[in-house]
Amino acid sequence: MSNAMSERAEHASRRPLWPWQVLLLVGLFLFWHVLTRSEVLPPFFFGEPLQVLGRIWDWFASGRIFPHLGVTLLETLLAFVLGTVLGLACGLWLGLSPRAARLLDPYITAFNSMPRVILAPIFAVWFGLGIWSKVLLGVTLVFFIVFFSVYHGVREVSPVLLNNARMLGATRTQLLRHVYLPSATGWVFASLHASVGMAFVGAVVGEYLGSARGVGYLILQAEGVFDVNTVFAGVIVLTLAALGLDRLVTLVERRMMNWRPKVQEHDLHG
Amino acid sequence: MMRGHPANSSIVARFMSSAPQSVPALVLDQVTCTFPGRGSTRAAYTAVQAASLTVHDGEFVSLVGPTGCGKSTLLNLAAGLQAPTAGTVHAFGERLRGLNGQAGYLFQADALFPWRTALDNVAIGLELRGMPRSQARERAGDWLRRVRLGAHAAKYPHEMSGGMRKRAALAQTLILEPRMLLMDEPFSALDVQTRQLMENELLELWAQERRCVLFVTHDLEEAIALSDRVVVLSAGPASRPIAHYAVDLPRPRDVQEIALHPRFVELHRAIWSALKQEVMKAHEQRDV
């Protein structure tokens, strides 16, 4: 009986869902189109989907968007990588030395609960209007997500695994490399999806507050002249880019975490 | 130096004369292990007290005792994973400070690295010792075949059955050729059939090299079937070895067949009568 049930479940999960997802999106745009065309919603404030799509088409056809999108993506990627590496390093360090953790605990809590977006103007003053002020803002956002998941993860490394590695002759550095780091990749990946979004927030908010390039800058410009359609176009382009990055993380995750049981398989056979 | 209990010294003496070794593989001398109190009660807990035990090279010794009697603590003391509060531990004549480098440890729980394949799990000990990866993997391949996992080298632990994981763990430990093997109820999580298979395989591997084994189990039949000597521990806390029984059954043994041997039944009865008292004590203490 369980066999038949699992087969049915497998069958249901294999049926492709994407046509429905596309349909949902089309429906949403249609809804938006009808509401603004009939002026139930004023197009001046809510934009018009056809013009928004036209603007996006225009950007990509003329290539005008690429330098801006490139800068935003570069900022995001740098913030993402630097924040992740720093968060991983600090998470491992504090997770492994409880004394340092106790010493720094109040500062970490304070820094984490602080609304860090407010640092953007300070970073702009310190690092100018180039990409680094945005990267740093993104780093402060990404850092804590990765840091906390690694910091808590270190304490949950199986003591049996640690003892086994020690009995097999692992030194302290080897424990780090062969037990803590591989365990940490699991926790890091769990946090990376949230981190990608945060890196984007850092980049765009940074641009929004002062820059000469980037998608955030385009949005700011459009807002200045009440061009809602361009604002929406920018938002959509950013969303698509974020989706792309998230997908990339998923791909890397699948490659690196192939030792982990697949959730579905686990449910069916476990 | 052997500090046997008077009641059992004759058995111990007989055993020693039959195996004249220069230096014992493992000597626990009057070791006490007290853990600082935790939780609400805050009372310190003494797992083992003034426990003495000697294991000779090539000898297979099983520790049996009621649950919570500090069997695993004794094993951790022998491994150096736990430092004694009092007393000394010597491995092959040398006082133990830190980990016991001569010992391999087979854990009760799964201790394979989940991000490594069976092959890489077996190879890790050699890699940690600085052997080039390709060479380590080659040797690991040989060992996987020895534990009959040759066809499963590329599998991750979650893709293996409980018995396969135990075999891989055994190969992971044995590849380093430890002079002493410490085993903490290694087969307790397996089903009966797999368990008996594993016990026979263990005996076969052990017979090839004849390293000394300290085997912790709560299963008296397993203990008798595998060992040269069965040591009964008193009920915890503050437990210690109270009786030694030499198992003079013929080898090579098959764990299913040996259980039908009249001498096995005799030994079982004798050891159980000693063990039973401790089990009763342990139960009374828990009920109070």
Side-chain angles (χ1 to χ4, degrees):
Chain A
M1 192 187 87
S2 73
N3 221 352
M5 267 170 66
S6 69
E7 255 169 47
R8 207 182 310 153
E10 211 170 331
H11 189 72
S13 69
R14 290 242 174 100
R15 204 177 295 152
L17 270 179
W18 64 265
W20 296 100
Q21 289 168 336
V22 171
L23 208 69
L24 194 65
L25 186 70
V26 171
L28 215 66
F29 267 85
L30 219 64
F31 184 61
W32 182 13
H33 178 73
V34 169
L35 284 186
T36 46
R37 180 48 64 91
S38 61
E39 306 219 350
V40 174
L41 293 175
F44 181 77
F45 293 115
F46 289 89
E48 281 165 287
L50 282 180
Q51 287 199 31
V52 170
L53 292 176
R55 178 59 44 90
I56 294 174
W57 175 257
D58 210 44
W59 275 344
F60 281 92
S62 68
R64 224 163 51 80
I65 186 74
F66 292 120
H68 295 287
L69 192 58
V71 166
T72 304
L73 284 179
L74 180 67
E75 289 161 356
T76 304
L77 227 62
L78 281 173
F80 180 61
V81 171
L82 288 178
T84 302
V85 170
L86 276 176
L88 178 61
C90 291
L92 281 175
W93 174 49
L94 289 189
L96 292 177
S97 49
R99 275 187 67 131
R102 275 209 303 278
L103 176 73
L104 294 178
D105 185 63
Y107 299 96
I108 292 165
T109 314
F111 205 54
N112 183 44
S113 44
M114 176 172 81
R116 269 159 283 135
V117 174
I118 223 65
L119 291 174
I122 300 175
F123 286 150
V125 172
W126 288 353
F127 301 99
L129 297 180
I131 66 168
W132 289 106
S133 54
K134 288 86 186 170
V135 171
L136 244 78
L137 183 61
V139 166
T140 61
L141 296 178
V142 169
F143 173 84
F144 282 94
I145 301 175
V146 177
F147 170 80
F148 278 112
S149 66
V150 172
Y151 178 65
H152 292 300
V154 166
R155 295 161 176 207
E156 277 158 40
V157 171
S158 146
V160 176
L161 226 53
L162 284 171
N163 277 341
N164 192 25
R166 289 175 67 203
M167 287 309 290
L168 292 170
T171 61
R172 248 184 94 82
T173 19
Q174 284 175 327
L175 278 185
L176 192 68
R177 169 157 151 44
H178 291 284
V179 184
Y180 284 111
L181 266 179
S183 302
T185 50
W187 322 313
V188 170
F189 273 114
S191 62
L192 282 196
H193 291 281
S195 307
V196 164
M198 276 305 180
F200 242 114
V201 168
V204 174
V205 169
E207 287 169 0
Y208 194 75
L209 289 177
S211 64
R213 217 177 278 155
V215 180
Y217 166 77
L218 281 184
I219 293 176
L220 182 65
Q221 293 276 301
E223 256 180 23
V225 294
F226 293 103
D227 180 3
V228 181
N229 287 327
T230 306
V231 173
F232 274 118
V235 170
I236 289 172
V237 167
L238 283 178
T239 309
L240 289 177
L243 271 179
L245 279 183
D246 192 74
R247 181 91 196 129
L248 212 67
V249 171
T250 307
L251 284 179
V252 175
E253 183 179 15
R254 250 184 231 161
R255 262 193 79 93
M256 283 188 64
M257 305 296 286
N258 61 348
W259 53 267
R260 254 200 328 210
K262 306 213 171 19
V263 178
Q264 197 185 344
E265 215 172 77
H266 194 78
D267 281 346
L268 291 176
H269 305 296
Chain B
M1 284 293 293
M2 184 83 193
R3 300 187 186 203
H5 272 265
N8 314 294
S9 57
S10 65
I11 298 172
V12 176
R14 200 176 69 208
F15 177 81
M16 282 181 75
S17 64
S18 72
Q21 249 88 29
S22 47
V23 188
L26 179 74
V27 180
L28 302 182
D29 189 16
Q30 297 286 317
V31 289
T32 298
C33 196
T34 306
F35 296 100
R38 270 191 213 152
S40 52
T41 54
R42 285 254 159 214
Y45 178 80
T46 302
V48 291
Q49 190 159 43
S52 294
L53 177 72
T54 300
V55 181
H56 290 276
D57 204 4
E59 192 185 7
F60 198 127
V61 176
S62 285
L63 295 176
V64 293
T67 39
C69 73
K71 290 176 294 215
S72 299
T73 307
L74 276 181
L75 218 51
N76 286 339
L77 286 166
L81 287 169
Q82 180 79 52
T85 321
T88 58
V89 181
H90 283 81
F92 293 99
E94 268 178 49
R95 173 108 185 246
L96 208 62
R97 292 171 211 281
L99 287 184
N100 183 349
Q102 315 267 19
Y105 200 128
L106 210 64
F107 294 85
Q108 180 176 11
D110 264 331
L112 292 177
F113 302 96
W115 46 84
R116 285 179 164 248
T117 61
L119 185 72
D120 288 334
N121 258 297
V122 177
I124 188 174
L126 295 175
E127 280 179 47
L128 292 175
R129 275 164 178 67
M131 185 182 276
R133 205 172 142 80
S134 58
Q135 203 181 334
R137 300 186 85 194
E138 200 176 306
R139 294 256 308 265
D142 291 342
W143 265 102
L144 273 184
R145 279 186 286 281
R146 273 180 86 170
V147 295
R148 301 196 288 118
L149 282 178
H152 307 285
K155 282 194 176 153
Y156 286 102
H158 80 265
E159 298 168 313
M160 300 193 268
S161 67
M164 286 160 74
R165 283 201 287 264
K166 277 297 166 214
R167 284 204 204 103
L170 199 57
Q172 185 183 52
T173 302
L174 291 179
I175 195 172
L176 298 174
E177 300 179 347
R179 293 174 72 186
M180 177 193 312
L181 200 55
L182 308 170
M183 305 176 90
D184 186 5
E185 307 197 22
F187 307 139
S188 58
L190 303 177
D191 61 87
V192 180
Q193 284 88 359
T194 316
R195 180 180 185 159
Q196 288 180 338
L197 275 178
M198 288 296 302
E199 287 163 0
N200 278 336
E201 280 173 34
L202 173 68
L203 280 182
E204 227 170 89
L205 286 167
W206 175 75
Q208 290 166 16
E209 321 270 345
R210 279 263 171 183
R211 301 206 168 90
C212 86
V213 178
L214 188 56
F215 191 97
V216 161
T217 179
H218 60 256
D219 181 346
L220 184 52
E221 286 179 30
E222 183 178 47
I224 299 172
L226 297 175
S227 317
D228 295 319
R229 179 155 54 109
V230 174
V231 177
V232 178
L233 296 177
S234 67
S239 94
R240 60 196 167 81
I242 47 163
H244 299 247
Y245 296 86
V247 179
D248 45 6
L249 291 164
R251 289 188 190 272
R253 299 177 192 162
D254 177 292
V255 291
Q256 283 114 310
E257 282 169 24
I258 202 78
L260 307 172
H261 199 287
R263 180 68 184 138
F264 182 99
V265 181
E266 223 174 281
L267 277 165
H268 191 283
R269 194 172 300 136
I271 303 174
W272 175 240
S273 69
L275 183 56
K276 195 174 164 189
Q277 293 176 9
E278 297 308 318
V279 172
M280 302 291 274
K281 267 188 232 164
H283 271 280
E284 278 165 26
Q285 280 168 9
R286 211 172 318 151
D287 291 343
V288 169

